[in-house]
Amino acid sequence: MDQAEGLRRLQRPATKVITVASGKGGVGKTNVVANLAVRLGMAGRRVLVFDADLGLGNIDILLGLAPRYNISHVLSGEKTLEQVLVQGPHGIWVLPASSGVAHMAALDTQSQSRLIDAVSRLDIQLDYLLVDCAAGISGDVLTFSRAAQHLVVVLSNEPASVADAYALIKVLSKQYGLKRFHLLPNMVRDAREGRALFAKICGVADRYLDVSLDLVGAIPLDAALRAAVRAQRAVVESAPQSPASVAFAALSARVQGWPLPEGPGGQIEFFMAQWLQAEQSAASA
């Protein structure tokens, strides 16, 4: 890396890195990521969505995109990151997941360096990196959650979803020292049900965990959202006045109010390095 390139990297604006996770599948996590990304794009923000469900990613399908390549082509050196990225609605970028690729802990040093270098050389200025990771508490989920600046946990009003969301928070708190979590109830009847769901998980967490939980909104059940999924569009674009779209607009405004990171942690390549370092740490534990 020459001096000029190094200076350009240092002058990059800070990027908010937000990982969206869920203890249980089927709670609408990817839909949250897609609509938040598009709503931020509608507000003029520069957004990259990293589909980090490396084996079963589907955010491209949800947004009606048809990528020819994915992250595995970057890791193999066949393609650059720019060649793999797909542009979605309102100027957002999507880094599609690969299929059948081994866990990141299995990457050799050369592949790890290639990935970080590819992100470092990305000639796109970004305001947000949204990481849509797999459901559950697998190693990938834990490492993406640890590397991000903000973690949003999506849950629905089902006993299994509440229990699994609590389990995710407990593991990240007890084993990895994470203290702050943003909670987003999804597919609720109204804001009151969302607050009740938040109070339920807070009641348990306050007794057994040393964490700070933050309610960042509530996304209601909405026929317009189901119609948008069938049409492979974001509901904030297809039905902007629908209850779900209004809730996503409020979520977007809240996220934009979160403080910008300072120092090297505000750079995307720092996030990637943190992620891979966490994977290696978990593999050697």
Side-chain angles (χ1 to χ4, degrees):
M1 176 171 55
D2 59 28
Q3 185 176 8
E5 184 178 353
L7 182 60
R8 283 195 299 272
R9 294 188 190 185
L10 289 173
Q11 290 175 337
R12 277 189 180 184
T15 301
K16 292 181 185 178
V17 179
I18 303 169
T19 290
V20 182
S22 66
K24 176 182 178 296
V27 300
K29 171 181 54 60
T30 297
N31 225 324
V32 166
V33 174
N35 280 281
L36 175 58
V38 174
R39 191 63 184 80
L40 288 168
M42 293 168 71
R45 303 297 182 246
R46 299 162 297 191
V47 183
L48 170 61
V49 177
F50 178 14
D51 192 341
D53 189 347
L54 298 179
L56 297 170
N58 60 3
I59 200 164
D60 53 322
I61 298 172
L62 201 60
L63 291 173
L65 306 176
R68 294 181 60 189
Y69 308 107
N70 56 57
I71 192 174
S72 69
H73 296 98
V74 178
L75 297 176
S76 67
E78 298 173 60
K79 299 294 176 182
T80 66
L81 199 58
E82 287 85 350
Q83 292 172 319
V84 168
L85 291 180
V86 180
Q87 192 156 36
H90 295 277
I92 72 168
W93 293 94
V94 175
L95 175 55
S98 49
S99 179
V101 173
H103 288 285
M104 298 305 294
L107 288 180
D108 58 31
T109 303
Q110 184 179 10
S111 296
Q112 293 171 0
S113 299
R114 185 180 292 119
L115 179 57
I116 296 174
D117 189 59
V119 174
S120 301
R121 294 176 182 276
L122 184 62
D123 193 23
I124 301 175
Q125 292 188 346
L126 296 170
D127 299 308
Y128 294 90
L129 171 62
L130 302 184
V131 182
D132 179 24
C133 58
I137 55 174
S138 67
D140 284 340
V141 173
L142 298 177
T143 50
F144 280 123
S145 299
R146 293 159 61 194
Q149 298 147 1
H150 299 278
L151 173 62
V152 177
V153 179
V154 179
L155 68 160
S156 64
N157 196 6
E158 299 176 0
S161 175
V162 175
D164 290 349
Y166 176 78
L168 174 62
I169 293 168
K170 179 180 178 180
V171 169
L172 287 168
S173 168
K174 294 280 192 181
Q175 296 187 20
Y176 301 107
L178 268 66
K179 297 299 181 185
R180 175 138 195 183
F181 301 83
H182 304 290
L183 266 61
L184 180 66
N186 190 30
M187 302 186 295
V188 293
R189 287 190 298 269
D190 51 32
R192 179 181 297 180
E193 183 178 354
R195 290 193 296 270
L197 183 56
F198 176 71
K200 183 184 299 184
I201 199 166
C202 278
V204 181
D206 287 347
R207 290 179 61 188
Y208 300 108
L209 302 178
D210 179 21
V211 296
S212 172
L213 303 182
D214 172 35
L215 179 64
V216 294
I219 312 299
L221 279 168
D222 189 346
L225 195 149
R226 292 194 294 271
V229 170
R230 289 193 296 269
Q232 294 181 279
R233 297 184 67 190
V235 70
V236 295
E237 185 181 32
S238 63
Q241 301 305 317
S242 67
S245 292
V246 172
F248 280 121
L251 175 63
S252 170
R254 182 144 189 170
V255 165
Q256 291 178 70
W258 290 347
L260 280 168
E262 298 179 358
Q267 305 305 322
I268 297 177
E269 54 265 34
F270 180 83
F271 162 76
M272 301 300 288
Q274 289 287 97
W275 163 37
L276 291 170
Q277 184 180 43
E279 282 281 2
Q280 291 171 339
S281 176
S284 62

